[in-house]
Amino acid sequence: MNLDEIDIKILKENFDESLIRQIDSENVLKILKYLENNGIYYAKDLFLTSLDLFLYPLDDFIRKFEILKEKLGDDFANKLGEDSSLIEYMYSE
């Protein structure tokens, strides 16, 4: 994933430096690939707004996301795309 100046600015506005420094690029790339494979074409936007979820190890992220998919149903990708706040269900799992 390529982050441009605007992306970096958004991260810095939304999260403090200590959280940003915790980013494991390899793990994030795997999570983004998983999301793409699940039809989440707006994965980068989720990364920029929900960075802390992308700090989970891949297996934990997948487990939480699979639970989210169950909650949202068959049209989960569109529902999440229309209302990205639904991603917050992952925090409770």
Side-chain angles (χ1 to χ4, degrees), residues 13-58:
E13 287 175 357
N14 291 335
F15 306 99
D16 77 24
E17 285 292 323
S18 65
L19 194 62
I20 293 170
R21 282 194 295 271
Q22 293 178 42
I23 295 172
D24 175 346
S25 298
E26 188 175 314
N27 189 60
V28 169
L29 290 174
K30 289 176 184 176
I31 290 172
L32 291 171
K33 182 69 171 169
Y34 164 78
L35 290 173
E36 285 178 19
N37 290 340
N38 278 274
I40 308 298
Y41 58 88
Y42 45 86
K44 183 177 177 183
D45 294 334
L46 290 177
F47 172 75
L48 294 174
T49 58
S50 303
L51 172 64
D52 44 337
L53 290 174
F54 287 77
L55 300 179
Y56 286 125
L58 178 64

Side-chain angles (χ1 to χ4, degrees), residues 17 35 40 43 62 66 71 73 83-85 87:
E17 285 292 323
L35 290 173
I40 308 298
I62 290 173
E66 289 297 320
K71 284 184 179 182
D83 183 1
S84 63
S85 71
I87 196 82

